Amino acid sequence: MIGIGLEELGVEEFVQGKFFDGELYIDTKKQCYKDMQYNRLSLFAVLRQLFTKLARDRYSESKKLGGDLKGDGLQNGGTLVVEKGGKVLLNFVQTNVAEHVEPSDVLKALGISPPEQGASADQGAAGAAAAGAAAAGAAN
């Protein structure tokens, strides 16, 4: 697994927090984002999207993880899952600041059954989210 970020800001905390177990790269020129057509939002579009129910729900969920709102919040990202040999298994392109790939979609693309509901489901979802955020793709 690899993850591609767009800036150095927050990388150290991300690594220390063990949010991802794979290789991390920083694309400060955002070339891979451009190549993968991960668009940048306008400030107006972000402000409009922040008032949606989805954005409010995601913000509430994110408080559990900690962190801050620093950095480039206008750059959309995505998740690309590619099998050995180059076949694309999943290509999720973020179109809204509050969107993210569902962990179950990443697991399904990898041919893994999601864990049953309960204590282990949280661990499975967190692992899938980390895989989804960076399985040969770019994460925001």
Side-chain angles (χ1 to χ4, degrees):
M1 285 193 305
I2 66 166
I4 303 171
L6 54 98
E7 57 195 352
E8 296 281 342
L9 183 65
V11 170
E12 187 174 327
E13 293 87 356
F14 186 76
V15 171
Q16 288 175 352
K18 299 183 181 183
F19 291 102
F20 179 72
D21 185 22
E23 297 178 49
L24 293 174
Y25 298 91
I26 306 297
D27 179 11
T28 57
K29 294 181 182 176
K30 302 179 188 173
Q31 189 58 52
C32 80
Y33 289 80
K34 293 172 191 167
D35 292 345
M36 297 179 72
Q37 300 177 353
Y38 292 166
N39 298 323
R40 222 176 130 68
L41 294 171
S42 69
L43 182 57
F44 179 73
V46 170
L47 291 174
R48 190 176 67 240
Q49 290 177 4
L50 288 176
F51 292 102
T52 65
K53 181 176 180 346
L54 176 63
R56 289 190 309 271
D57 291 347
R58 295 288 193 242
Y59 180 73
S60 294
E61 291 171 15
S62 70
K63 286 182 176 181
K64 298 173 189 172
L65 296 174
D68 56 48
L69 297 175
K70 296 178 183 173
D72 185 351
L74 301 178
Q75 178 63 59
N76 276 340
T79 301
L80 182 63
V81 179
V82 181
E83 74 179 352
K84 190 175 183 176
K87 180 181 175 189
V88 175
L89 301 176
L90 174 70
N91 185 10
F92 172 82
V93 179
Q94 183 184 32
T95 59
N96 181 302
V97 296
E99 285 182 320
H100 67 263
V101 69
E102 291 298 326
S104 60
D105 291 342
V106 175
L107 292 172
K108 182 178 176 183
L110 295 169
I112 300 171
S113 298
E116 303 237 353
Q117 294 294 342
S120 64
D122 291 336
Q123 294 169 345
N140 200 8

